[in-house]
Each structure stands twice: as C-alpha cells, then as structure tokens.
Amino acid sequence: MMMAFGSPCSSILTSTSYNALLKELQKIWTEIGESEADKDCMLSELERDCLEIYRRKVDEAATAKVHLHQSVAAKEAELAMLMATLGDIHVNSPIQSERKAKSLKDQLSSVTTLVEGLTLKKQELMKQFADIKAQIEKITGEISGHGHFVNAISALNLEEQDLSQRKLTEYQSNLHALQKEKSERLQKVLDYVNEVHSLCAVLGLDFAKTVNDVHPSLNLTSMEQSRNISDSTVEGLNQAILRLKTEKKIRYQKLKDVAGSLFDLWNLMDATKEEKIKFLRITSILDSPESAITEPGSLSMEMVEQASAEVERLTKLKASRMKELVTKKRSELEYICYKNHIQPDSSTAADKTNALIDSGLVSPCELLEKIEAQIEKAKNEALSRKEITDRIYRWLCACDEENWLENYNQDENRYSAGRGTHINLKRAERARITINKIPVMVDNLISKTLAWEDEQKKLFLYDGARLVSILEKYKLTRQQKEEEKKRARDQKKLQDMLLAEKEAMYGSKPSPRRSNSFRRTNEYHVNGNGSVTPSPRRNSVGSATPELSTPRSYSGRQNTYFKEMRRLSTAPLNFVAITKEDTMSFSSVCGSEPESPPQGQ
C-alpha cells in the first residue's frame, strides 16, 4: 500500500479517494475476469508509477529549494555590497537573526525589499555624487583652463564602490573649496578687468580689443555668461595691466616734456590767453601726479599729438621771430642795468647779436640763454647793491637840498612876508640839518662800498666809474669849496673894515646894491604836502656844490648826474628818515652856513 503525505485532513481525503478508486478498479477487473496474478501485477505497476511521480516531485522541490537558497544568497551578497558601498556597515542583515524562523521564500522577500530600498538610496546618492562631481569637474576645468569635461555619471561608475557619507562630505568640502577659489578668482578677474578698462579710458585705447587679446569671455556683457578665470587668463590680465601702466608712464612723461617745451615757448613768445586756453586741460593734467590721473582721454595719443603739433608750430614761428626776441631781451637787460647804474655786458650788444644771427655762426637760442643768464646776473647784482644804491639816493637828495639852500640864502627877500615864506623857512631848517649829515653820509657810503668790494671781490662801478673814486673826488671838491668860502668870508670882512674906515674918513655911506628878488614862480613850487620843491636850474659858478666829476662827465657829456638819479627814483624825499650812523655833526659845515633869520621878522 502507498503512504500518504501531507496534512492529516488531506491524507484522509486522499486515502478515501484512493480506496474508492481501488474498489472500483477491482470491480472492473472482476467484471472483466482478470486473474488474481494479473491484478497483483497491475497493482504493483500502479504503485511503481505513483512512486516515480512522488520521486519526481521531490526532485523538483529540492531543485526549487536550491534555487531559493541561491537567490537568497545572491540577494544577501547584493545587500552586503550595497551596505558596503553606502557605508551602512553598522546595519546587520536580518537573515542572520530570522533564518531559523522564516522560510526561504520569506527570507528572499525580506532581502529583496532591503535590496530595493538600498538600491533606491544608492541611485539617489549616485545622482548627488554625480552632481557634485560635475560641479567639481566644471570648476576645475574653469580654473585649469581646459575646455573638456568628463561625463560625471561614467566617471562615477568607476568609483561607485564608495558612496558613503564620509566620501560625500569629502566631495562637498572639495566643492566648497573650489567654489571659494572660483569666487576669489572671479573677483580678481573682475578687478583686473575694471583696472584695464580704466587704463584704456585714460590712454584712449580700445578696451574690447585689449581684453579680447587676453580671452574673449572677458568682454561679455551678460552676467549669466561665465568668464574664464584660469591661471593663464589671470596672468594675461596682469601682463596687460603692466603694459598699460608702462604706456601710461611713457605718455605722461612725453606729455610733460612736450608741455615743458610748450610753456617755454609761450613765455618766450608772450603767447596770448586765447592761445593758452586751448591747452588748459594739459595744464590741469600735469598739476596732478601720474598715479592720480583717471580722467578719460587724459593721456590719449590725440592729446600728445595736439601738444606736439602746437610745439612744432611755435618752434617754426620762433625761428622767424628770434631776432626780435633777442633784441627784446637785450633791451630788458639794458633797462635793468640802466636802472641800477650797471654797465651791461657788451658781448650781447644789439649790433653784435644781429651780426651773429645773420651769419648763422651762433644759434639764436644760445644767444637768448646767454642774455637770460646776464639778466639773472644783473638782477642778483642789483639786489646785492641795493643797500648802497639807497644810500647813494639819500646822499644825492641831500646834495639837492644843499643846492636849494645855497640859492635860497642868496635871495635878499627870503624873509619878507609873502605866500609860502614860512614853508621855505621850515624847509631851510630841515635842509641845514640834512646838509650837516652829508660828510658822515659820504664816509659811511665809502665804508659800505669798500666792504661790498671786499665781499664781492670786484669794484663797485656806478655807470662805469668806481663809486669810491667819485666819492673821494666829491670830498676833495667839497673841501676846496669850504676853503673858498672861508677866503670869501675873510675878504668880505676886509672889505667891511675898509668901508668902515672910508665912512669914518669921509663921513658918507654908499647906498647898498639891491639884488634881484630870488623868489620867482618858476623856481619854487608848493606841494600839497606843505614842502617846496625847487624847479630844475643850471648851477651857478659860485654855488655851494660845484659840478663834480661823475660817470657821465667821463663820457664827455654834461653833468646831469643828480637829476638822473632823482628821475630814476620813485621814492619821495624824506629828510627825517636818515640812518643813525649818518647823524654825526660836521662843525665845519655848520660854521659855514648862514645863520637862521632873527625871530620876529
């Protein structure tokens, strides 16, 4: 008999069905008339067939079990690989704890669920890694300057064994560092581009062409388009800035040199304001240092060429007017020398300079420089002579007062009542005080002049003659005049004595001679300040100050020395402001002057 497998309930049903079929088969065999031996043979065959079916089913079940074991093992391996890739090594497999309690199909279902979940997580991580790597590759390419980018997904497949959080954090840190470097480089590039733009504006250069020569992306107007920030671009911008700065310095110096020549020509040729105002911008540019020039077009080639063209024009014009300029400068030199009584240098006299310019032996510029040097020398010498020339002026003013007092004393009607009489009396008093200081003035003037000659190592010439010689001769002449006056007084005393004897002898007195009135309208002028100025006159033979040997008498002309000195000086006469060292009294001169008018007249 065959054994029944399965649950008890299933086994009872199967046994009932088997017995019913066996009874029906035996009934059929009986009706057919089969023998017992045939019946046993057929039953044995039937049992063998049933056993074969069972055996085949067992083999199929075993094969299915093996396949399930293999599937579970494969899924577990896949799960382990996913966990290792994702870095979830701390998660234990649920199969190990539930393998005894669950069937293979349950194990396979559980592992499959876990694998599917981790696979989705892996895909998300791979996408995240791919995005980060794509950004890293892009920024790296921008920084390195290489134009090709590797496909992020295919590159990631080569390294997909590690998708852990640690690796993700490492990639993110690398990305953040690259983003920071990119931001710094981009800011640096923008600063360089702005500096290039500013320099190009100042120099008048094409900004677009300049940055395109470095990299075309630098001239993009849209902020959405990326600019190249590679090392080569940064270095190219740096070199461009250095070239532009060098060009800026060169143009600034060139403009400065051209402007210097332009200013010299303006001063030389007395340019008008209308001519100068055209180049007012150049003047304002050169007033600033080179680093502070930022105005667009300030150092453009057009600006430099414009100034150069003006210099060239003025240079050509200067050549035609050079003789006139030389003559003008020579006249300036002669005026300075004449004003300060200095002999001008004869090497640049008008006749000589004209001959030299016509012959072409000397450049007019050299003559101008020489005359300019002589003018500067004359100004410096005039400055060093100023103290002495001031003393000369005071001395000459005192001599004028002496002449006036001599003429005034010869007027017999000087004390008569009339308009301006009291003014003349006051002036006479001041004149006597001033005249008493003349000898001290002369001595101090000689002392100062000798000190100047010792300091300057040359003679002090006044209109070509040595001043010390003039003063010494003046002193000698003045001494001779004093002696003549003394003899005149002695002779007058003798005449008065003889006259007194005649009067005593004959008892008669000759009528005194009446002299001409001295007060004439053309000899005294009352000024608004209360002083009286003498009119120009020729000195008489018997005047108190005879004609002296002055520098102009050496040249054969009449002595107009005092009048010229008064004419060249613009300062008013001030007989009170005499220096203290000139206030010593001179008794011989005081004794020779007429007495003051008696009081009450």
Side-chain angles (χ1 to χ4, degrees), residues 274-291:
E274 289 73 14
E275 293 176 329
K276 294 180 180 180
I277 201 171
K278 300 177 183 177
F279 301 91
L280 185 61
R281 187 181 180 188
I282 295 178
T283 306
S284 61
I285 291 173
L286 296 180
D287 288 339
S288 305
E290 179 263 333
S291 58

Side-chain angles (χ1 to χ4, degrees), residues 254-267 286 311:
K254 185 174 181 181
L255 184 63
K256 188 175 182 180
D257 296 339
V258 173
S261 302
L262 183 61
F263 296 157
D264 291 340
L265 288 170
W266 281 348
N267 296 331
L286 296 180
V311 169

Side-chain angles (χ1 to χ4, degrees), residues 125-241:
L125 286 174
M126 286 182 63
K127 184 178 179 181
Q128 190 173 358
F129 269 89
D131 183 51
I132 293 175
K133 283 183 65 67
Q135 295 183 57
I136 290 175
E137 293 292 341
K138 181 180 179 181
I139 296 174
T140 303
E142 291 176 353
I143 293 176
S144 63
H146 301 305
H148 60 85
F149 301 124
V150 181
N151 187 292
I153 300 296
S154 61
L156 188 62
N157 289 335
L158 299 177
E159 299 179 0
E160 63 181 2
Q161 292 82 5
D162 190 359
L163 298 177
S164 62
Q165 187 65 34
R166 178 187 59 80
K167 194 69 173 179
L168 180 63
T169 303
E170 180 181 344
Y171 271 78
Q172 288 175 340
S173 299
N174 189 15
L175 176 61
H176 292 159
L178 288 173
Q179 287 175 339
K180 182 179 180 181
E181 183 179 356
K182 176 182 177 181
S183 177
E184 292 175 353
R185 281 174 173 264
L186 183 59
Q187 185 61 43
K188 189 174 183 179
V189 168
L190 290 177
D191 292 340
Y192 279 173
V193 169
N194 291 335
E195 189 170 359
V196 170
H197 185 273
S198 176
L199 290 171
C200 288
V202 172
L203 298 174
L205 299 178
D206 187 357
F207 167 73
K209 182 179 182 304
T210 303
V211 294
N212 281 335
D213 292 341
V214 178
H215 198 277
S217 66
L218 300 176
N219 193 30
L220 298 176
T221 56
S222 175
M223 296 300 295
E224 297 179 356
Q225 296 174 303
S226 62
R227 288 177 172 82
N228 189 281
I229 56 174
S230 63
D231 292 336
S232 60
T233 300
V234 174
E235 181 63 23
L237 285 173
N238 189 35
Q239 293 298 323
I241 290 173

Side-chain angles (χ1 to χ4, degrees), residues 397-507:
C397 290
C399 292
D400 282 346
E401 287 300 296
E402 186 177 25
N403 287 334
W404 178 85
L405 188 60
E406 286 288 338
N407 293 328
Y408 176 76
N409 289 333
Q410 292 176 5
D411 184 7
E412 295 181 357
N413 298 322
R414 60 184 179 275
Y415 299 132
S416 61
R419 184 178 180 182
T421 301
H422 66 288
I423 297 177
N424 290 333
L425 289 174
K426 291 181 179 180
R427 179 176 177 180
E429 289 297 328
R430 291 195 299 269
R432 292 187 186 95
I433 296 173
T434 303
I435 292 168
N436 291 338
K437 300 174 183 177
I438 289 179
V440 180
M441 286 183 183
V442 174
D443 291 338
N444 289 333
L445 188 54
I446 292 174
S447 176
K448 290 288 184 181
T449 305
L450 292 175
W452 184 93
E453 291 179 347
D454 291 339
E455 180 182 353
Q456 301 292 331
K457 306 300 181 185
K458 61 180 180 180
L459 299 178
F460 189 101
L461 300 180
Y462 195 89
D463 290 333
R466 187 184 180 193
L467 179 61
V468 174
S469 300
I470 297 174
L471 296 173
E472 292 291 349
K473 190 166 185 180
Y474 171 80
K475 288 178 65 177
L476 180 60
T477 305
R478 187 178 180 85
Q479 184 179 359
Q480 293 174 355
K481 183 189 70 171
E482 293 296 331
E483 293 176 355
E484 290 177 0
K485 290 171 69 176
K486 184 178 180 180
R487 287 195 299 268
R489 287 196 301 271
D490 293 341
Q491 185 177 358
K492 184 178 180 182
K493 288 180 181 180
L494 181 58
Q495 290 177 354
D496 290 342
M497 291 174 61
L498 293 175
L499 183 59
E501 291 177 359
K502 279 186 179 182
E503 290 178 355
M505 184 180 298
Y506 299 104

